[in-house]
């Protein structure tokens, strides 16, 4: 093991509620072998005591990260790196932060694992139309004689977005005998082909795929992108899955389509607003399955993100290249 010539000072700032999940004792112990770790703070406590950043070279965080604005940075002249045990760094980065050229690490790759697992499970259930057939059995109190489903043999699966999570879902699907289509304006055909994916326009994605799973970041260009017209193009018994951002779906135009098409199924792990308003039809439509961010890292799964940060921290203090640093020109593309 390479000996550390200098032990940087580090501070962990995040919400208390999930801190123990993200940074369990074993992870904190590993981090403690690399840096002098000060007592953790919450974002609110740091705002009361910004002088706690004096001498801090490495800022560790997760959910509830402080915003890296001019005021905070003024109290952190020694800051050399920020490592975030969460997916997106958009909520905490500012132009002033990027101007300082400080590397920032995201644990999006670790958070992508449970989301991709959840998505894969729902895709396979969707190809068998499990949710549709189950609710029809309850309604009719009888089993169908010979259910006609797409199945996982030469069916088409659509992915809207081939970012960290979409690419991992595509990788998982290579183990199955399905054709994977995708729409993503920032991915070229060659990169998609490397993932075993064929790029198509949105109309073809929704019009031909038995399951469409959403993995697009929320940007001005993607807000309300999935509208009622696209969902109405979906085939009989098709499934729509959203584990991305609720506002990617234009719910006011999609809800009427779901009401008119009981054969469709919508698996919504995210909505907009979130949770839905108490009078939202999403609660009563029988072909809508609502889950409260179950796809993301929960409980012990969150430790993956802390472990990724610990590995990146080791690389940083040893002067090795970081593997999960966010490029400034790519930060806005993360969910």
């Amino acid at each position: 093991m390479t000996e550390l010539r200098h032990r940087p000072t580090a501070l962990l700032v995040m919400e208390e509620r999930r801190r123990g999940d993200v940074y369990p004792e074993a992870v904190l112990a590993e981090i403690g072998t690399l840096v002098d770790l000060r007592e953790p703070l919450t974002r609110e406590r740091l705002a009361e005591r910004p002088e706690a950043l004096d001498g801090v070279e490495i800022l560790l965080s997760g959910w509830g990260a402080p915003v890296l604005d001019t005021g905070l940075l003024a109290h952190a002249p020694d800051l050399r790196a920020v490592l975030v045990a969460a997916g997106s760094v958009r909520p905490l980065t500012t132009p002033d932060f990027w101007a300082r050229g400080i590397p920032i690490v995201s644990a999006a790759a670790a958070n992508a694992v449970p989301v991709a697992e959840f998505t894969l499970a729902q895709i396979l259930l969707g190809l068998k139309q499990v949710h549709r057939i189950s609710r029809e059995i309850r309604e009719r109190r009888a089993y169908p004689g010979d259910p006609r489903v797409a199945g996982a043999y030469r069916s088409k699966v659509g992915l809207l977005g081939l970012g960290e999570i979409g690419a991992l879902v595509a990788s998982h699907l290579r183990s199955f005998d399905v054709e994977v289509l995708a729409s993503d304006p920032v991915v070229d055909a060659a990169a998609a082909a490397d993932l075993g994916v064929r790029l198509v326009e949105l109309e073809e994605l929704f019009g031909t795929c038995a399951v469409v799973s959403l993995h697009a970041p929320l940007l001005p260009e993607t807000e309300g992108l999935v509208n009622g017209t696209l969902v109405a193009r979906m085939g009989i018994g098709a499934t729509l899955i959203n584990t991305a951002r609720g506002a990617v779906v234009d719910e006011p135009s999609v809800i009427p389509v779901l009401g008119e098409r009981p054969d469709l199924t919508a698996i919504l792990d995210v909505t907009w607003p979130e949770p839905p308003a108490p009078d939202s039809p999403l609660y009563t439509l029988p072909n809508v399955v609502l889950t409260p961010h179950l796809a993301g890292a929960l409980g012990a799964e969150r430790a993956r993100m802390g472990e990724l940060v610990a590995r990146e921290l080791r690389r940083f203090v040893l002067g090795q290249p970081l593997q999960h640093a966010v490029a400034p020109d790519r930060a806005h593309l993360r969910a």
Side-chain angles (χ1 to χ4, degrees), residues 94-107:
T94 66
D96 288 334
F97 170 78
W98 292 116
R100 288 187 58 170
I102 297 171
I104 184 166
V105 163
S106 161

Side-chain angles (χ1 to χ4, degrees), residues 290-307:
L290 293 174
T291 53
H293 278 284
L294 290 184
L298 297 175
E301 293 174 325
R302 294 170 179 157
R304 275 198 188 99
M305 294 184 285
E307 291 166 0

Side-chain angles (χ1 to χ4, degrees), residues 258-275:
L258 294 175
E260 296 164 3
R261 293 278 309 275
D263 62 288
L264 298 179
T265 299
I267 311 293
L268 305 180
D269 196 48
V270 289
T271 60
W272 185 255
E274 193 168 287

Side-chain angles (χ1 to χ4, degrees), residues 92-227:
L92 63 148
T93 51
T94 66
D96 288 334
F97 170 78
W98 292 116
R100 288 187 58 170
I102 297 171
I104 184 166
V105 163
S106 161
N111 190 53
V113 174
V115 181
E117 291 170 347
F118 177 94
T119 301
L120 176 63
Q122 294 297 344
I123 287 173
L124 295 176
L125 290 173
L127 290 173
K128 283 288 193 179
Q129 297 186 28
V130 168
H131 293 293
R132 177 184 68 82
I133 292 172
S134 177
R135 63 179 175 265
E136 288 181 357
I137 289 173
R138 287 198 305 273
E139 292 167 0
R140 300 174 183 176
R141 296 179 180 268
Y143 281 14
D146 184 19
R148 310 303 293 177
V149 301
Y153 180 65
R154 298 184 179 178
S155 296
K156 291 180 179 179
V157 175
L159 305 177
L160 176 54
L162 285 175
E164 198 101 46
I165 297 171
L168 187 54
V169 173
S171 176
H172 289 334
L173 288 171
R174 298 187 83 154
S175 299
F176 300 89
D177 197 355
V178 296
E179 181 182 1
V180 183
L181 311 183
S183 290
D184 191 322
V186 300
V187 174
D188 60 35
D194 288 342
L195 292 169
V197 174
R198 178 167 64 89
L199 291 179
V200 298
E201 296 297 324
L202 279 176
E203 289 74 14
E204 181 176 351
L205 192 79
F206 280 81
T208 65
C209 292
V211 178
V212 176
S213 186
L214 310 184
H215 303 287
L218 180 57
L219 307 170
E221 303 91 325
T222 62
E223 185 173 354
L225 179 62
V226 178
N227 56 33

